[in-house]
Amino acid sequence: MAHHAVTPHEGKLLVLTPGLGAVATTFVAGVEMVRQGAGQPFGSLSQMQTIRLGARSENRTPLIRDFCDIAPLGDLEFGAWDVHAADAYDAALHAGVIDKHELAPMEGFLRTVKPMEAAFDQQYVRRLDGPNVKPKGTKKEWAEALRADIRRRLDETGAARAVMVWCGSTEVYLRPAPCHETVEAFEKGLADDDPAISPSQLYAYAAIMEGVPYANGAPNLSADVPALEQLAEEKGVPLAGKDFKTGQTLMKTILAPGMKARMLGVNGWFSTNILGNRDGEILDDADSFRAKEVTKTGVLDSILQPDVYPDLYKDLYHKVRINYYPPRGDEKEGWDNIDIFGWLGYKMQIKVDFLCRDSILAAPIVLDLALFLDLASRAGRSGVQEWLSFYFKSPHVEVGHVPEHDLFIQHVRLKNTLRVMMGEEPLTHLSENDEIYENADAS
């Protein structure tokens, strides 16, 4: 079937992270631990999962990393921005995700990852501040400084290409504004210091202008505006987002499809989160929480389709809460009470208590996004990469498209896209029946 030839991976790949906090340092330290043989990349599809090719009888199930021409871990370099000047080792110690004794052998390497000055304005993240920020200037000047940072870090590391994955904090909730409608309007907004343009949008703009694929790991309004989508298409840059799907929402996208598949009704879904890391502190601000709330609450309606199944889901009451609780640190607890009903309307309950580690779940997502976006770029793909919805709470989709939230459908789509990019046929259930499959091809 027709597909773009993938330009072979050569040289080093620079992974840039706005933010050098718990998620980014867990990712960087984890990659180095795997490279040194001190750990395994559990949770990473790109490293651990196989992909079936052709009929089952062919017995072709290579690892994704062997099937796809993705960069090997040994070729990854790192760069970051943060409001705090601590290098990756000190930042990882402060985050407290990876045990200190496991970090110790990585100290020499982690100290080489020093954060660049952040483009930061506290009005967008009210509960964060730090000294390692760029001098005051217009947003256009900040965007140009970020572009210069990208070029300089590429030169310092000798990397051939770069990708950028937002690992920074959640900004206050913003709606699209006139400056987001066209590239010209956006660039005028940069020059005019339009308050509708947040720092995360500056990073997205800088990445796109430098030909660097960009993924948004937070619920911020970032690259998901017409101006930056248009710019990404013009520059041939892949985009993905938004908001890493890690704890509670991951469970919802696993459980809700099961309820729907069995035609079990849901009356209510109450969710609360307890976490004590920097993310929890920032989300204690109502405007930052609003941005997160929007990405977390849209999942169930999309999966359960109350307009299609009104008897089962039209009266579903969905409540989400996030509570900052410092003693918990990065070990987040997500508690769900689900009121369901079955045959003849008889009521039942499901209770889930997910004691997860937010950054441990997020780190392999950062890795996969970096490798898959680089692959997409070398395959000639640009603009919104909906096939990467698997990794996000609020998938970034093209105008007019409906986001897919069902984890299992997302998973099929991701693997089929990888198959097609590498010149293989996508798989459906029809491929299990050779006669039907051949007839379908003939038609």
Side-chain angles (χ1 to χ4, degrees):
M1 67 190 308
H3 67 282
H4 289 286
V6 177
T7 302
H9 161 72
E10 292 181 355
K12 296 180 179 180
L13 175 64
L14 171 63
V15 184
L16 295 160
T17 62
L20 191 60
V23 170
T25 57
T26 303
F27 158 64
V28 174
V31 168
E32 183 63 11
M33 289 176 71
V34 174
R35 294 195 292 206
Q36 293 190 20
Q40 292 197 60
F42 297 122
S44 166
L45 274 65
S46 70
Q47 303 302 303
M48 302 292 295
Q49 196 165 94
T50 61
I51 184 166
R52 184 183 130 212
L53 307 175
R56 290 184 187 278
S57 58
E58 296 181 35
N59 197 29
R60 291 194 295 149
T61 54
L63 288 166
I64 288 174
R65 71 173 188 243
D66 294 331
F67 168 63
C68 296
D69 184 24
I70 56 176
L73 298 191
D75 285 349
L76 298 188
E77 296 284 345
F78 305 97
W81 296 265
D82 201 274
V83 299
H84 298 292
D87 60 41
Y89 180 72
D90 287 334
L93 285 178
H94 179 76
V97 179
I98 299 176
D99 291 341
K100 184 176 181 178
H101 75 277
E102 291 187 314
L103 283 174
M106 316 297 147
E107 180 177 359
F109 169 77
L110 292 174
R111 290 210 182 276
T112 68
V113 183
K114 303 177 186 295
M116 297 173 278
E117 292 179 339
F120 177 75
D121 187 331
Q122 197 174 24
Q123 69 172 310
Y124 299 95
V125 187
R126 294 168 188 155
R127 303 207 173 187
L128 179 65
D129 199 8
N132 194 47
V133 297
K134 296 192 181 302
K136 289 292 184 182
T138 66
K139 291 179 178 179
K140 178 177 175 58
E141 290 171 338
W142 274 3
E144 291 302 319
L146 291 173
R147 293 182 64 183
D149 288 343
I150 294 171
R151 294 191 295 269
R152 183 173 60 254
R153 189 60 182 163
L154 279 165
D155 184 62
E156 290 171 349
T157 59
R161 306 175 311 282
V163 294
M164 185 186 295
V165 183
W166 176 273
C167 296
S169 299
T170 298
E171 296 173 335
V172 298
Y173 181 63
L174 294 176
R175 295 181 181 275
C179 66
H180 298 129
E181 289 301 311
T182 66
V183 176
E184 294 76 17
F186 188 87
E187 292 181 336
K188 183 177 186 303
L190 291 177
D192 294 344
D193 272 340
D194 193 314
I197 297 178
S198 67
S200 69
Q201 293 169 33
L202 301 182
Y203 285 93
Y205 173 81
I208 295 168
M209 291 296 290
E210 292 299 315
V212 173
Y214 175 82
N216 177 18
N220 311 333
L221 183 70
S222 188
D224 50 324
V225 295
L228 295 182
E229 291 170 350
Q230 176 191 341
L231 188 64
E233 289 284 359
E234 292 175 358
K235 298 289 185 180
V237 175
L239 302 175
K242 61 184 184 176
D243 203 2
F244 298 142
K245 181 160 58 181
T246 50
Q248 193 169 66
T249 306
L250 173 64
M251 297 305 297
K252 285 181 179 176
T253 61
I254 293 171
L255 293 172
M259 298 298 105
K260 180 182 171 184
R262 277 296 315 271
M263 289 287 99
L264 295 172
V266 183
N267 285 322
W269 200 310
F270 179 82
S271 303
T272 190
N273 295 263
I274 301 171
L275 71 161
N277 58 14
R278 186 188 296 177
D279 194 35
E281 182 178 8
I282 287 162
L283 292 174
D284 211 30
D285 173 71
D287 286 335
S288 291
F289 170 70
R290 176 59 180 154
K292 177 71 74 171
E293 183 181 36
V294 169
T295 66
K296 289 172 76 70
T297 55
V299 170
L300 292 183
D301 278 352
S302 174
I303 293 174
L304 297 176
Q305 297 178 283
D307 55 328
V308 177
Y309 302 105
D311 291 342
L312 295 169
Y313 310 118
K314 71 174 181 179
D315 296 323
L316 190 159
Y317 182 83
H318 186 199
K319 177 73 74 174
V320 177
R321 287 286 179 264
I322 297 177
N323 302 283
Y324 178 49
Y325 182 58
R328 189 55 55 91
D330 197 65
E331 298 180 32
K332 181 171 74 174
E333 182 170 357
W335 182 82
D336 288 85
N337 176 82
I338 312 163
D339 287 283
I340 69 172
F341 59 90
W343 187 250
L344 305 178
Y346 276 79
K347 296 181 178 180
M348 298 170 278
Q349 286 190 345
I350 300 172
K351 296 187 187 294
V352 180
D353 191 9
F354 188 17
L355 290 95
C356 62
R357 306 189 72 160
D358 214 33
S359 299
I360 292 296
L361 292 167
I365 293 179
V366 179
L367 174 61
D368 285 359
L369 288 171
L371 298 180
F372 289 153
L373 281 172
D374 176 59
L375 177 68
S377 180
R378 289 184 284 114
R381 290 176 172 257
S382 61
V384 183
Q385 303 298 299
E386 296 184 16
W387 61 282
L388 292 173
S389 295
F390 179 83
Y391 296 104
F392 298 105
K393 291 186 181 77
S394 182
H396 185 177
V397 299
E398 294 182 15
V399 175
H401 289 199
V402 177
E404 178 58 68
H405 286 276
D406 183 318
L407 184 78
F408 306 100
I409 296 175
Q410 292 173 333
H411 187 238
V412 169
R413 187 174 190 179
L414 185 150
K415 282 193 165 182
N416 269 337
T417 303
L418 292 175
R419 291 181 181 106
V420 170
M421 272 198 283
M422 300 308 297
E424 290 279 341
E425 292 285 343
L427 295 190
T428 73
H429 67 284
L430 295 176
S431 59
E432 293 302 293
N433 185 322
D434 293 338
E435 182 179 348
I436 295 176
Y437 193 50
E438 288 169 6
N439 289 339
D441 281 346
S443 63

